[in-house]
């Protein structure tokens, strides 16, 4: 039977040589208690090739330290004179291959070989433990003694601006006192690369730290909504790559799924550049901690520094710029002064243009943000682009154009969310259009809910009744307003009055008349418990409307327009001030709607071009809308005069009441008719706030 030979057997001579230096040159043997035999020192003896002494010296056969030293000296003389062929060792050959890429000098190579073997071979680790706790100031001397290298050269090789430290391949932990194993840290998984005997190509092995970027799924035309930013990025990255500019860094941030990584891949393809991506998981698909990923990024920079037309993508950097301590901002650890210098160095010395991608940047110190050459926010695409993306992703699935337009109104519908939902539904095997659409909605809405967004994909869905501007009871000529907006295209309006009187529907109507998408925001979308965040959300609301060329409707505006003289907290004032500042700068159409007018800030109301009251329907308007609904739902009226009398007798009707009754009819056993419509309207009147119109009705003679 063939004897098994461990891959580590090739390192026996070098381990013995280093171990003897540890015990003799560094006086490690003096720290070993051998007065009661060699029990407990099995690994240390194996490390120096003297394991046979275990049988000779036990508790009955005393071994003095003096005698032990003589035995060690005899072994050392043998191994110091021995001709070693360390150049043939796998780790040495692989380190040299790596050195061709990143220019490690001979001292740095020896230090890396030692670090890898110390963490890989238990006998060597055990002999290092003999030295016990070592101060951070003593590490250089210890390594110099083990490797027979002048201390000044070791110190230079391990300096913070040296290649070993910059790449994270090997760096000193610099703890005050700890074992050598913990003082000398190596890059996670680099041992697997450098100890691999069958390594055909070093670059292939390094893909556990960075990989060639994925092919983009989106085209340049899919980013038309950010054309100005795209053009700047394209020109800058092209110049940086061609001229070899040092310290070129771009930061792209925005909500998850908005296509940030896809944008980078599309840019690289458009530029004709090779894109390398820093990995986020290790060989076991476990997440890599932030320091390991930064080390991988720096290694990637050094390996690729000679490659022309190359970009690096460092994705998911949320945990990279972190605080040293436990303090947090918005639940995210933030960076402190102690690491700013190091981060600045990382951002100033890279030779390959790098694009950093994050979902949030609120935790990154402003001093670090300023180091990026270009900072860009990538928001959810505007509705026009969302429709196109949904159409592209759902090719091959049975979905209707109407369904695509319906769900596209949800402004949180990011490309990544759509693509993943399509991936799931394609595997379900559904062939019916309704099954496919319902499944897509289910997958998307569940994810939106998990992300903290509104899971209702139909928000902003059309009213179930025909829109009739002529039956809205407003104190301003809405037709004239519509014509004026078509001519001028800009304005600020406050619509107020009871709930259901048609304020929001008028905004929807105007968006269609002006051929603009409608952006609806409510208090729940903007209010945040953290001071200052609501103001940012308000500003972002106007920016989004501007980006999408949308008509902006702020529903429940009373939450932000309360009388400032009654404010109890400073933030109550700053929120109103921010809203007023942004609405004055806004060059589009901005509509506020509110059910409460009495408590609003009068100074704020003066900023609106028009304040329009929407009131309960007049009797003749109620009758007109009643007939419209009957016609829309194919019902009939047998005696118009009688029914008109019945409807005109109702007070407190709103268009919203008609819409509610129509929705209720979906659950009735019979189709909607004049009788059921009238009964439903009566019920809605009875439920009005404070019973103001309760029991108002009529009696037919």
């Amino acid at each position: 039977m063939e004897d098994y030979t461990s891959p580590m057997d090739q390192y026996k001579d070098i381990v013995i040589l280093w171990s003897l230096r540890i015990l003799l040159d560094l006086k490690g043997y003096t720290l070993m208690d051998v007065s009661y035999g060699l029990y407990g020192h099995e690994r240390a003896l194996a490390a120096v090739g003297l394991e046979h002494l275990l049988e000779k010296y036990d508790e009955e056969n005393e071994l003095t330290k003096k005698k032990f030293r003589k035995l060690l000296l005899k072994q050392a003389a043998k191994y110091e004179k021995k001709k070693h062929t360390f150049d043939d060792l796998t780790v040495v050959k692989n380190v040299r291959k790596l050195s061709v890429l990143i220019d490690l000098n001979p001292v740095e190579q020896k230090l890396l070989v030692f670090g890898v073997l110390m963490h890989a071979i238990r006998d060597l680790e055990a002999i290092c433990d003999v030295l016990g706790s070592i101060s951070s100031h003593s590490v250089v001397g210890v390594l110099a003694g083990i490797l027979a290298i002048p201390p000044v050269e070791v110190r230079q090789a391990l300096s913070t601006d040296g290649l070993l430290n910059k790449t994270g391949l090997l760096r000193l932990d610099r703890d005050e006192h700890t074992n050598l194993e913990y003082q000398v840290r190596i890059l996670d998984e680099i041992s697997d690369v450098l100890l691999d005997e069958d390594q055909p190509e070093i670059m292939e092995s390094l893909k556990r730290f960075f990989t060639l970027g994925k092919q983009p799924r989106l085209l340049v035309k899919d980013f038309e909504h950010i054309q100005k930013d795209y053009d700047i990025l394209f020109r800058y990255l092209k110049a940086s790559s061609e001229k070899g500019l040092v310290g070129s860094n771009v930061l792209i941030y925005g909500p998850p799924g908005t296509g940030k990584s896809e944008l980078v891949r599309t840019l690289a393809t458009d530029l004709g550049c090779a894109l390398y991506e820093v990995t986020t998981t290790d060989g076991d698909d476990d997440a890599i901690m932030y320091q390991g990923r930064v080390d991988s990024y720096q290694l990637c920079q050094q390996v690729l520094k000679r490659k022309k037309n190359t970009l690096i993508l460092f994705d998911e950097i949320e945990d990279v710029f972190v605080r040293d301590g436990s303090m947090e901002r918005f639940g995210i650890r933030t960076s402190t002064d102690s690491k700013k210098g190091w981060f600045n160095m990382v951002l100033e010395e890279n030779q390959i243009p790098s694009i950093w991608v994050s979902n949030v940047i609120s935790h990154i110190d402003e001093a670090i943000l300023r180091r990026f050459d270009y900072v860009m926010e990538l928001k959810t695409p505007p509705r026009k682009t969302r429709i196109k993306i949904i159409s592209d992703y759902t090719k091959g699935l049975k979905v209707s154009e109407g369904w695509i337009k319906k769900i596209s109104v949800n402004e949180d519908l990011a490309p990544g969310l759509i693509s993943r939902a399509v991936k799931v539904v394609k595997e379900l095997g559904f062939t019916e259009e309704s099954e496919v659409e319902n499944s897509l909605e289910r997958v998307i809405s569940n994810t939106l809910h998990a992300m903290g967004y509104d899971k209702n994909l139909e928000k902003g869905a059309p009213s179930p009744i025909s829109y009739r501007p002529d039956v809205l009871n407003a104190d301003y000529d809405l037709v004239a307003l519509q014509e004026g907006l078509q001519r001028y295209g800009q304005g600020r309006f406050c619509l107020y009055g009871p709930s259901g009187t048609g304020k929001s529907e008028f905004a929807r109507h105007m968006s269609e008349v002006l051929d603009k998408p409608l952006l609806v925001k409510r208090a729940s979308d903007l209010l945040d418990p953290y001071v200052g965040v609501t103001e940012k959300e308000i500003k972002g609301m106007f920016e989004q409307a501007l980006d999408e060329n949308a008509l902006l409707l702020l529903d429940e505006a009373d939450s932000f327009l309360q009388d400032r003289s009654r404010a109890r907290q400073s933030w109550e004032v700053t929120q109103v001030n921010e809203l007023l500042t942004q609405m004055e700068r806004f060059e589009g159409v901005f509509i506020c709607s509110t059910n409460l007018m009495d408590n609003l800030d009068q100074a704020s109301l003066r900023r609106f071009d028009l304040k329009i009251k929407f009131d309960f329907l007049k009797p003749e308007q109620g009758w007109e809308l009643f007939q419209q609904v009957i016609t829309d739902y194919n019902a009939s009226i047998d005696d118009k005069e009688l029914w008109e009398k019945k409807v005109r007798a109702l007070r407190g009707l709103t268009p919203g009441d008609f819409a509610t009754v129509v929705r209720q009819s979906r659950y009735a056993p019979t189709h909607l008719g004049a009788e059921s419509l009238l009964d439903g309207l009566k019920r809605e009147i009875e439920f009005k706030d404070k019973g103001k119109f309760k029991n108002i009705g009529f009696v037919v003679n």
Side-chain angles (χ1 to χ4, degrees), residues 46-99:
V48 293
L50 296 176
E51 55 266 48
H52 63 277
L53 295 178
L54 287 169
E55 298 178 0
K56 185 174 182 180
Y57 296 99
D58 53 24
E59 292 184 12
E60 297 179 359
N61 193 1
E62 183 181 358
L63 176 65
T64 63
K65 285 193 176 181
K66 185 176 180 180
K67 190 171 184 179
F68 185 43
R69 180 173 179 274
K70 285 184 177 181
L71 292 170
L72 291 173
L73 285 170
K74 182 179 179 181
Q75 185 78 334
K78 173 183 173 183
Y79 274 87
E80 290 289 355
K81 292 178 181 178
K82 187 176 181 180
K83 290 184 178 181
H84 300 287
T85 55
F86 295 151
D87 289 348
D88 295 331
L89 298 178
T90 297
V91 67
V92 173
K93 290 190 289 187
N94 286 337
V95 166
R96 286 179 178 169
K97 289 180 185 177
L98 180 62
S99 300

Side-chain angles (χ1 to χ4, degrees), residues 250-517:
V250 170
L251 174 61
I252 299 176
Y253 69 99
T258 50
K260 300 181 292 296
S261 302
E262 283 299 310
L263 169 60
V264 178
R265 292 164 187 153
T266 301
L267 266 169
T269 301
D270 196 15
L271 287 163
C273 288
L275 177 69
Y276 287 85
E277 302 181 18
V278 177
T279 56
T280 58
T281 57
D282 60 21
D284 297 323
D285 287 331
D286 294 325
I288 302 174
M289 299 301 290
Y290 83 93
Q291 185 60 62
R293 298 186 62 234
V294 172
D295 290 342
S296 295
Y297 164 76
Q298 292 186 280
L299 178 61
C300 182
Q301 279 286 347
Q302 291 298 324
V303 170
L304 302 176
K305 63 185 177 184
R306 295 188 183 91
K307 289 180 70 69
K308 300 292 185 183
N309 300 318
T310 302
L311 302 176
I312 294 176
L313 167 59
F314 197 167
D315 205 349
E316 301 179 18
I317 65 165
E318 286 79 9
D319 61 345
V320 171
F321 301 98
V322 296
R323 181 182 292 275
D324 296 327
S326 58
M327 293 186 66
E328 297 184 349
R329 183 183 180 191
F330 310 140
I332 303 172
R333 291 179 294 166
T334 57
S335 54
T336 57
D337 291 337
S338 64
K339 286 194 174 181
K340 287 179 189 174
W342 183 76
F343 287 138
N344 292 342
M345 179 193 71
V346 171
L347 294 173
E348 288 175 352
E349 298 183 357
N350 56 297
Q351 298 184 54
I352 302 295
S354 301
I355 306 176
W356 306 61
V357 171
S358 181
N359 293 329
V360 290
I361 61 169
S362 56
H363 62 299
I364 302 179
D365 193 280
E366 289 79 2
I368 294 174
L369 286 176
R370 288 196 296 269
R371 299 282 177 172
F372 288 97
D373 302 319
Y374 196 77
V375 179
M376 170 193 164
E377 181 180 13
L378 186 61
K379 302 176 182 178
T380 304
R383 188 184 180 192
K384 180 181 177 182
T385 306
R386 292 200 295 272
I387 291 175
K388 182 184 179 305
I389 291 173
I390 297 170
S391 300
D392 289 344
Y393 275 118
T394 54
K395 280 181 180 177
L397 288 177
K398 280 192 175 182
V399 295
S400 65
E401 185 177 340
W403 179 83
I404 291 174
K405 289 182 177 179
K406 181 187 76 172
I407 71 164
S408 69
V409 300
N410 191 304
E411 64 209 41
D412 300 317
L413 212 55
L417 196 61
I418 300 165
S419 67
R420 289 181 180 88
V422 169
K423 175 185 174 183
V424 171
V425 175
K426 277 185 175 179
E427 301 300 322
L428 302 182
F430 291 132
T431 57
E432 294 296 324
E433 188 176 274
S434 59
E435 292 178 319
V436 173
E437 292 176 351
N438 291 337
S439 298
L440 283 169
E441 286 189 36
R442 184 75 175 176
V443 176
I444 293 171
S445 62
N446 283 348
T447 304
L448 284 173
H449 182 65
M451 295 169 66
Y453 299 129
D454 187 353
K455 66 184 294 184
N456 180 16
L457 295 180
E458 297 185 35
K459 63 178 181 179
S463 172
I465 64 174
S466 296
Y467 183 74
R468 292 279 301 272
D470 58 309
V471 298
L472 294 180
N473 187 12
D475 64 356
Y476 191 86
D477 187 341
L478 298 181
V479 175
L481 174 59
Q482 176 178 312
E483 293 173 351
L485 274 173
Q486 285 177 302
R487 289 193 306 271
Y488 188 54
Q490 183 178 347
R492 303 185 293 265
F493 310 99
C494 180
L495 312 183
Y496 68 97
S499 176
T501 50
K503 303 181 293 296
S504 298
E505 283 303 315
F506 177 71
R508 299 182 196 282
H509 170 69
M510 286 309 306
S511 73
E512 294 178 3
V513 169
L514 299 174
D515 193 24
K516 290 177 177 287

